[in-house]
Amino acid sequence: MSGPTFGSSGVRGPFATVATPELALRLGRAVGATRRRVVVGRDARTTGPLLERALVAGLLAGGADVATCGVLPTPALAHAARRFDAGVVVTASHNPAPDNGFKLWEPDGRAFGRAERAEVERLLAAPPASAAWDRVGAVSEEPGAVEAHARRVLDITGPLPRRLRVVLDCGNGAASRESPALLRALGCDVITLNAQPDGHFPGRPSEPSEENLAALRQAVVAAGADLGLAHDGDADRCMAVTHAGRYVQGDELLLLFAQDHAGKTIACPVDASRAIEDASGCRVVRTRVGDAYVSERLAEVGGAFGGEASGAWIFPEMSWCPDGPLAAAMVCRMVATRGPLESLVAALPRYPLWRHSWRMAPEEIEPTMRRFAAALADGKVTTLDGVKADYDEGWVLVRPSGTEPKVRVTVEATDAAGLEALKAKVARVLPFR
Ligand code: MG
């Protein structure tokens, strides 16, 4: 029986068809066959308790000893994993409520790499025999993982130099317990929204996107708060809202975090704005798109910070796992020391951006990519992820979609005329509108 493919952020999909109890059991046996001691946690989804139990049964049958943490943010589980041989979180991140899934963590907080994932897939397809009756694993509870993670956040950020009023939207997710308490300990007056873990996500969809945070934006203004913060379902993400109720775009928050690391090396994907190079004061290393690739590259170069506009922020002082609660604390520190987000964002360079995608037959994607590669050969080309061509006036990125038969193009330029010139290059390969 063949298993699903594990991507860089694990596997996730509908409970009914992808994240099934059968998969949980087989995944447990696969991981338990190679790792002696495994720590397990989950987000607040309705199918979490049953998938966790099936996973734990598999791990024990595989011969691993298991410690369970219950509901906690993914970064808190990744932090706990440092005292184990691996960590597994039962989570579908920011996906809709019917979904669930699994993320696999190394002890240093890095997601399982390509070789480790291939090994898991091999063992899923050909499950190892159960351990003998006197070799099966033991299960225990791991209390205090959330508190240990929160203490580490406070060690890293230190107390705030002044009190802030913060509205925090936990999105009924896994940080509903940790983040409010953490921000209060940091020195904030905290008003919470959706801070009851609830796998039906009654408050809002789990992704902390601009359209999903209308209530937060209103609440920040109504409360006269200094800022608003929001997590996704498993709280490896954090996004922010200014005191005026304006959603801070991912690229803007990425640049603000980068400015806090001026003079150091940071990592971000090829699709992030060139403003990072122009206005951060950092040496910027570009990576493939996906927070796991940012972590991997950040570790290789020994960088000080990594981030992706999706809301994944990586601080190596904690671990290589994107950390929503730590990012929330860092944004508070930024506002307390540098000033209101509204003015910090207003001071950032603003480059015009254009995105377009074309649906096509799967067999047309490869030839289309080749035509783009030829058309963009007059730029400084990198093929880290799709084809990216840098020019004086901006850049063009062409990538096949990972999930649909589509080719996506992103164009950014330092001014409107540059944007039109670069769009004209794109139009010579594929017409649009
Ligand atoms: Mg997530």
Side-chain angles (χ1 to χ4, degrees):
M1 183 175 179
S2 74
T5 301
F6 273 71
S8 60
S9 33
V11 64
R12 55 181 189 245
F15 167 71
T17 52
V18 176
T20 60
E22 291 77 13
L23 173 64
L25 185 72
R26 287 192 293 134
L27 177 64
R29 287 172 69 150
V31 174
T34 55
R35 310 282 175 131
R36 286 297 317 151
R37 298 174 62 251
V38 181
V39 63
V40 172
R42 59 183 158 89
D43 69 16
R45 286 166 195 272
T46 57
T47 53
L50 85 88
L51 290 176
E52 183 197 67
R53 281 161 173 79
L55 174 76
V56 170
L59 286 162
L60 298 172
D65 290 334
V66 180
T68 60
C69 298
V71 174
L72 81 175
T74 287
L77 189 283
H79 178 64
R82 77 202 185 285
R83 292 181 289 106
F84 294 84
D85 299 320
V88 187
V89 196
V90 181
T91 177
S93 192
H94 53 276
N95 280 31
D99 287 11
N100 215 327
F102 307 92
K103 289 186 185 178
L104 307 171
W105 299 100
E106 297 289 354
D108 63 1
R110 236 177 297 186
F112 269 31
R114 189 180 300 272
E116 290 73 24
R117 297 199 308 267
E119 171 79 351
V120 166
E121 283 169 16
R122 190 182 65 74
L123 291 169
L124 279 175
S130 281
W133 69 271
D134 56 351
R135 291 282 185 275
V136 297
V139 63
S140 61
E141 285 182 9
E142 176 74 3
V146 165
E147 290 73 13
H149 177 253
R151 276 197 304 277
R152 180 69 191 134
V153 171
L154 294 169
D155 283 349
I156 291 170
T157 59
L160 294 183
R162 67 180 181 93
R163 262 193 116 64
L164 296 176
R165 173 178 280 215
V166 179
V167 184
L168 172 65
D169 183 346
C170 294
N172 303 110
S176 296
R177 183 160 70 91
E178 178 177 348
S179 282
L182 170 68
L183 296 186
R184 287 184 182 114
L186 192 68
C188 299
D189 297 321
V190 180
I191 299 158
T192 56
L193 291 183
N194 307 314
Q196 319 79 27
D198 187 333
H200 298 89
F201 298 123
R204 61 164 169 89
S206 185
E207 185 164 12
S209 59
E210 183 166 9
E211 60 273 23
N212 291 342
L213 297 183
L216 173 64
R217 288 154 56 205
Q218 285 166 16
V220 169
V221 175
D226 294 290
L227 73 157
L229 294 162
H231 293 306
D232 72 330
D234 67 331
D236 61 344
R237 293 188 182 190
C238 176
M239 295 303 283
V241 168
T242 72
H243 74 275
R246 190 157 83 84
Y247 181 80
V248 181
Q249 300 297 328
D251 266 334
E252 296 169 338
L253 195 50
L254 173 59
L255 178 49
L256 291 177
F257 277 131
Q259 289 175 337
D260 281 341
H261 296 86
K264 299 181 179 153
T265 299
I266 63 161
C268 65
V270 287
D271 62 348
S273 173
R274 188 187 278 182
I276 309 297
E277 274 88 353
D278 293 352
S280 71
C282 297
R283 178 179 163 253
V284 183
V285 175
R286 295 285 182 155
T287 75
R288 287 181 66 185
V289 176
D291 58 66
Y293 297 114
V294 177
S295 286
E296 204 173 278
R297 193 78 186 102
L298 189 62
E300 281 168 14
V301 299
F305 167 74
E308 183 171 66
S310 62
W313 317 114
I314 303 151
F315 303 92
E317 310 96 292
M318 173 66 81
S319 81
W320 302 109
C321 174
D323 197 314
L326 174 54
M330 289 289 198
V331 176
C332 290
R333 192 179 69 170
M334 186 190 295
V335 171
T337 56
R338 292 171 58 187
L341 282 174
E342 189 70 25
S343 33
L344 295 179
V345 170
L348 301 177
R350 205 160 306 280
Y351 296 158
L353 187 76
W354 179 80
R355 290 200 176 96
H356 199 83
S357 66
W358 292 264
R359 185 173 286 278
M360 59 187 71
E363 65 273 15
E364 288 174 30
I365 289 177
E366 196 52 52
T368 303
M369 291 301 296
R370 277 200 300 274
R371 282 163 56 212
F372 269 115
L376 298 172
D378 57 339
K380 183 168 169 280
V381 173
T382 45
T383 53
L384 201 55
D385 198 336
V387 176
K388 185 179 185 182
D390 273 283
Y391 300 87
D392 288 343
E393 64 267 40
W395 51 271
V396 179
L397 173 68
V398 188
R399 297 172 66 229
S401 160
T403 50
E404 298 171 279
K406 276 186 178 177
V407 167
R408 300 181 193 281
V409 169
T410 309
V411 180
E412 187 192 59
T414 46
D415 59 30
L419 193 74
E420 291 311 312
L422 294 176
K423 281 166 70 177
K425 284 182 191 291
V426 173
R428 283 199 283 276
V429 178
L430 282 180
F432 47 83
R433 98 210 246 61

